[in-house]
Amino acid sequence: MGLIGRNSYAMRLASAMVKRGLLTDEKLKEAINRAQEIGQPLNEALVELGIVTAWELAAFVTHEAELPSVEIDPDRIDPVSVARLPASLAVKYEMLPLGEHENLITVALANPLTVFSLDDIKQETGLDITPVLAKKEEIDQLIKELYGSSRLVDDAVAGLAASDIELPGEDMTARDQLEALTSQPPVVKLVNEMILNAVQEGASDIHIEPRRAIVDLRTRVDGVLYRVATIPRDMLMAIVSRVKIMANMDISERRAPQDGRIEVKMQGRLIDLRVSTFPTIYGEKVVMRILDKSATILDLASMGYEPDSLEKVRRLIMQPYGMVLFVGPTGSGKSTSLYAVLNTINSPDLNVMTLEDPVEYEMSMVNQGQINPRAGLTFATGLRTLLRQDPDIILVGEIRDIETAELAVRAALTGHLLFSTLHTMDAPSAPARLIDMGVEPFLISSALTGVIAQRLVRTICPQCKVEFEPTPALLKEVGLDSDKVKKLYRGEGCAFCHNTGYKGRTGIYEVMLMNDEIKRLIINRSSGDEIGRAAERAGMVSLRQDGLQKALNGVTTIEEVLRETAAASLD
């Protein structure tokens, strides 16, 4: 909040509260001093100091300010007014400019207490504010639409004229020159809004990709990469260097890959960005993986398991010992599944220990460790030490080598319950992968209790979901009977889903439990196909079958299931 002046909107409301006897002059002075000391809005200081409750404050403001409620007509929103307010402030305060007349701008608020921050908005726009109340859902949706990714980046880039920034040549790599370059306000604004918008869109990754004449900015949302905007080629060094500064990386090194980390707080959420650079023929490509540490850890029941599969998984994770593997390609949701499992079985009477790379979510009552190869802490060395920590349950982020695999098997055979991940395309291929690493088959058959393979498929947008009659050819392609299946579902595309027809993702799974036949096949070094046929005879539902059931239930589409299970079906 800006300075609390005598004539500010916040001060006028506070004075009215004094007149009504809701607080005293002394308490008001105390709150003003508190707000100015730590730079927070006056209303937050009043509540934190216990002078008034949030409910009392909201009731007073709504009555005293006489804020009218409106229904927003998107077609009547003035784009000029929207452009006056930066996206960062619109998102922070959950407010939307609607229009202006002479020296007044009308702003819709989702929360009446936001009136205490209107002085910040007046300072930004240069106009007096007329506040109105509107539904939070309407404001949030319109902010997404009107402050879309492309618009944000294009507006920021408009301030990055090449004449404003003197780029050093290839031989001019002094750190002070590059640091001066990255401190330019337009560069800072572009990178900040790039990250902010990606987080708002629910993206998992940000890609900055140099081409011959331009720089592509793309984000991965629901597993699919979308081009957000193009950036002038001259701006590449400024943007990449700014990201490197934030990630504590060497900005003078442009010929070797680097890894770094950025931790930021946005709207009360702790966001961890894992940064990776890679030199290409046109310059450095940057990828930022977004980890929302404040996100709610899912429980197993909400992850998309069919009832029978969910019951099998619950039986697996409740065993006192053994090794349970979650398998699939990168980005298939294995880490989320591991956290959901720990969230389900975690208990004060258990010693739960993890080795992760990286720690994506922080969990209470879990001793979480992050590997650090530079310090000699790998999955293998960490697991060897961890076994001396009297663990009941062990989570190893990934089995990557023979040493880690053998230690994991040994842990499972000596009375520990161990969870880990492995890169295979389906569940029956997991034993063969461990054998390829060098683990003895008889040890695998004794230690392994189950394997869960998974993929993430996009779910149909609930706002534009419609029924349609599938063609016999489509049903035949996936082995469905056209006489029995008369309707399926898809999304037509709308503003809510950015015209993709999809919103969010869910999992599809195959759960393989060990039995005597599968153990014999493992000992005989049988192929994944043979193990898969035995597992299906025992009741395992394949990834493709699980996905098709979700398509029949209207959760996803056949096309999405085919896209995610094509590789698994070829194994």
Side-chain angles (χ1 to χ4, degrees), residues 247-250 257-260 370-378 381:
N248 293 317
M249 299 160 72
D250 184 355
Q258 295 187 65
D259 293 302
Q370 183 164 306
I371 70 166
N372 185 354
R374 291 182 180 178
L377 180 59
T378 64
T381 58

Side-chain angles (χ1 to χ4, degrees), residues 237-311:
M237 184 182 295
I239 295 166
V240 172
S241 297
R242 175 62 186 170
V243 172
K244 285 183 174 180
I245 290 260
M246 296 172 70
N248 293 317
M249 299 160 72
D250 184 355
I251 61 174
S252 63
E253 176 57 72
R254 302 201 299 273
R255 296 176 176 85
Q258 295 187 65
D259 293 302
R261 175 185 175 188
I262 302 170
E263 189 171 85
V264 295
K265 194 169 185 179
M266 292 183 173
Q267 300 173 276
R269 298 159 60 189
L270 188 61
I271 306 296
D272 202 4
L273 298 140
R274 299 305 168 106
V275 182
S276 172
T277 66
F278 181 79
T280 73
I281 59 173
Y282 296 123
E284 288 182 282
K285 171 181 165 64
V286 179
V287 174
M288 290 182 273
R289 168 63 56 89
I290 301 171
L291 305 175
D292 187 350
K293 289 197 169 185
S294 62
T296 302
I297 297 175
L298 298 175
D299 59 72
L300 289 173
S302 64
M303 294 183 64
Y305 285 102
E306 295 298 318
D308 183 59
S309 295
L310 179 60
E311 177 58 31

Side-chain angles (χ1 to χ4, degrees), residues 326 334-335 338 353-358 369 371 379 394-400 404 418-423:
F326 288 81
K334 300 187 297 295
S335 295
L338 288 176
M353 304 199 68
T354 76
L355 280 171
E356 306 174 52
D357 183 27
I371 70 166
F379 281 122
I394 301 170
L395 183 152
V396 178
E398 183 182 344
I399 295 177
R400 297 176 178 173
T404 306
L418 183 138
F419 302 103
S420 190
T421 70
L422 198 63
H423 282 273

Side-chain angles (χ1 to χ4, degrees), residues 62 132 145 148 218-219 226 248 270 314 349 397 409 436 455 502 509 542 546:
T62 303
V132 296
E145 294 177 14
R218 299 198 291 170
T219 57
Y226 296 97
N248 293 317
L270 188 61
R314 290 191 185 279
D349 60 348
V409 167
D436 288 342
R455 298 288 191 279
Y502 297 97
Y509 305 92
S542 71
D546 190 59

Side-chain angles (χ1 to χ4, degrees), residues 364-407:
S364 62
M365 297 187 300
V366 176
N367 304 290
Q368 295 176 267
Q370 183 164 306
I371 70 166
N372 185 354
R374 291 182 180 178
L377 180 59
T378 64
F379 281 122
T381 58
L383 183 53
R384 186 179 291 107
T385 302
L386 193 147
L387 289 171
R388 297 194 289 269
Q389 291 284 312
D390 186 32
D392 297 298
I393 297 172
I394 301 170
L395 183 152
V396 178
E398 183 182 344
I399 295 177
R400 297 176 178 173
D401 52 58
I402 176 60
E403 188 177 5
T404 306
E406 288 181 336
L407 287 168

Side-chain angles (χ1 to χ4, degrees), residues 9 95 109 114-123 129 131:
Y9 205 105
M95 62 171 57
L109 312 178
T114 310
V115 296
F116 283 94
S117 300
L118 289 183
D119 295 319
D120 289 352
I121 309 307
K122 180 178 179 179
Q123 186 175 0
I129 312 297

